[in-house]
Amino acid sequence: METDLFSYPTPFTPPTTEEDELPVLRLIRSRRVGPTTFHRLIGEHGSAAAALAALPEVARAAGVADYTPCPEKQARAEIKAGKAAGAQLLIHGGPGYPAALAEIDDAPPVLWALGQQELLTRPMIALVGARNASSLGLRMAKRLSEGLGEAGICVVSGLARGIDAAAHEAALPTGTIAVQAGGIDVIYPQENTALAQQMAETGLRLTEAPPGTQPQARHFPARNRIISGLSAGVVVVEAALKSGSLITARDALDQGREVMAVPGHPMDGRAGGCNALIRDGATLVRGSEDVLAALNARAAPPEPRPAPPPPPTPAPRAVKSGDLSAKILERLGPSPTAEDQVIRDLDVPAAAFSQALTALEIEGRIERHRGGLISRPL
């Protein structure tokens, strides 16, 4: 059965018990299987169990002879550790998994959730910004959080010091979600331990990382895509020109979310990123009213337009898998390229391209980037 690249074949039964969850957890914890490859394998094989069984052969076809998927013992240990921390495992496609996040291409296959999961059914806005925030920036974050909370909006952020912490604290009475870069039982920075404990009771903490994972630099960009993916829009309160908050804003653009920013003084380096976002088209925010107005305008139905007739599509030509892998690599360099563009350039079926790309990734000959981009490793 031919399916879209990131959709499950019908019928698909989401996991409901620990035995059902094990294949999903083992697949995403297997070596060189990231979220995009996970969804691709599910689409090709129909279930996590079938994809897991096929994974060693996929690796052998890619030239990796000693490939072993994540052992069942390791997955069971993770489930035990998550439950010991009081968290619950949410599976992509299963009950409780946030609907907005499920729509992004590289949605986390699993999430550990600790706290009030009903917050995931509320409308959400992300507030992010500088760790070394100014007093005015902190006051603005609190003011925005309070105003959005009064309007029934759940505030999402990253539990970092500075703007994140201020946004979470102000939204505790009305609803707030923290996305962690490390394990659900690992609080970073430690100065936010008391805040994290409060959020486990009245708010919600989420992470895609296994329990016990110590956050490293590479984990934070991955976390940022979840912050924006959960939310209808992202508000950047303070950010330098090169900061993690701007990564979150770029993720939001890639995911089709609203991007908003609070302006700052041109001489303040902490405002450089926000001012650049506004220059490039982000909505200027002076208070929660501006955020709500932007969301209402976005939700308004567009004027209906007659659809133009689709252009004739030539039938894709068949290509042998070995030839196709070589042709894909010929099209790639160190700079990321859109998968869709490579498919169009090669004029091949999406299913064949998907299989060749999965083999190349497991072999370590390509790298994936946010927004459906691929490149050769540096």
Side-chain angles (χ1 to χ4, degrees):
M1 179 187 303
E2 187 170 343
T3 63
D4 292 336
L5 247 94
F6 304 111
S7 64
Y8 295 107
T10 303
F12 171 72
T13 304
T16 56
T17 68
E18 181 174 320
E19 295 305 313
D20 296 328
E21 293 168 350
L22 276 172
V24 176
L25 197 55
R26 289 182 63 199
L27 182 60
I28 187 55
R29 301 305 186 217
S30 293
R31 183 164 51 105
R32 290 181 179 167
V33 176
T36 304
T37 298
F38 174 95
H39 295 302
R40 191 184 297 277
L41 288 168
I42 292 287
E44 291 171 358
H45 299 284
S47 71
L52 195 64
L55 195 52
E57 181 56 39
V58 172
R60 275 194 294 272
V64 182
D66 59 345
Y67 189 91
T68 303
C70 169
E72 181 178 319
K73 182 179 179 180
Q74 179 181 327
R76 287 193 184 276
E78 177 174 340
I79 292 175
K80 182 179 180 180
K83 289 182 176 179
Q88 181 176 343
L89 189 65
L90 304 181
I91 304 288
H92 186 279
Y97 193 97
L101 186 62
E103 295 173 355
I104 70 173
D105 289 345
D106 52 353
V110 299
L111 288 169
W112 283 106
L114 178 60
Q116 306 299 316
Q117 293 183 40
E118 61 270 17
L119 292 174
L120 293 172
T121 65
R122 297 253 305 272
M124 292 175 253
I125 288 291
L127 291 185
V128 296
R131 289 173 170 81
N132 62 332
S134 68
S135 59
L136 281 176
L138 295 174
R139 286 167 55 192
M140 187 63 174
K142 293 177 181 178
R143 176 180 158 192
L144 286 170
S145 279
E146 290 168 351
L148 292 172
E150 290 170 1
I153 305 292
C154 181
V155 172
V156 181
S157 198
L159 199 60
R161 63 173 59 95
I163 296 299
D164 289 22
H168 286 311
E169 288 172 357
L172 276 171
T174 53
T176 182
I177 297 173
V179 184
Q180 300 174 222
I184 199 71
D185 53 348
V186 178
I187 306 306
Y188 179 85
Q190 290 188 353
E191 67 193 62
N192 285 343
T193 297
L195 173 60
Q197 291 172 344
Q198 285 182 283
M199 295 195 65
E201 298 172 4
T202 62
L204 180 66
R205 287 167 27 208
L206 294 174
T207 182
E208 65 179 331
T213 301
Q214 296 295 326
Q216 300 177 18
R218 60 187 172 86
H219 295 144
F220 289 92
R223 175 207 63 175
N224 293 346
R225 87 187 194 286
I226 301 177
I227 293 174
S228 56
L230 287 166
S231 310
V234 172
V235 182
V236 184
V237 180
E238 277 187 341
L241 282 170
K242 294 182 178 180
S243 68
S245 298
L246 294 196
I247 294 176
T248 310
R250 286 195 293 271
D251 287 340
L253 285 173
D254 290 340
Q255 295 162 352
R257 279 32 173 180
E258 189 76 19
V259 176
M260 296 161 273
V262 175
H265 195 283
M267 300 297 290
D268 186 349
R270 288 169 293 199
C274 293
N275 292 340
L277 287 173
I278 294 169
R279 178 200 62 197
D280 294 339
T283 299
L284 186 149
V285 169
R286 299 161 297 178
S288 58
E289 299 82 2
D290 289 335
V291 179
L292 297 172
L295 295 181
N296 290 335
R298 186 181 185 86
E303 291 286 334
R305 294 183 179 179
T313 304
R317 53 189 175 83
V319 181
K320 293 182 179 180
S321 59
D323 294 340
L324 180 53
S325 296
K327 289 180 180 296
I328 291 173
L329 291 173
E330 287 175 1
R331 294 279 177 173
L332 298 180
S335 298
T337 303
E339 288 185 31
D340 291 345
Q341 183 61 54
V342 180
I343 293 175
R344 287 193 294 269
D345 290 346
L346 296 178
D347 189 23
V348 295
F353 181 85
S354 168
Q355 292 175 357
L357 207 61
T358 300
L360 287 170
E361 183 176 21
I362 291 175
E363 193 177 353
R365 300 175 72 187
I366 65 163
E367 287 185 357
R368 293 189 184 277
H369 308 272
R370 289 184 303 276
L373 302 178
I374 52 177
S375 71
R376 283 198 179 199
L378 291 173

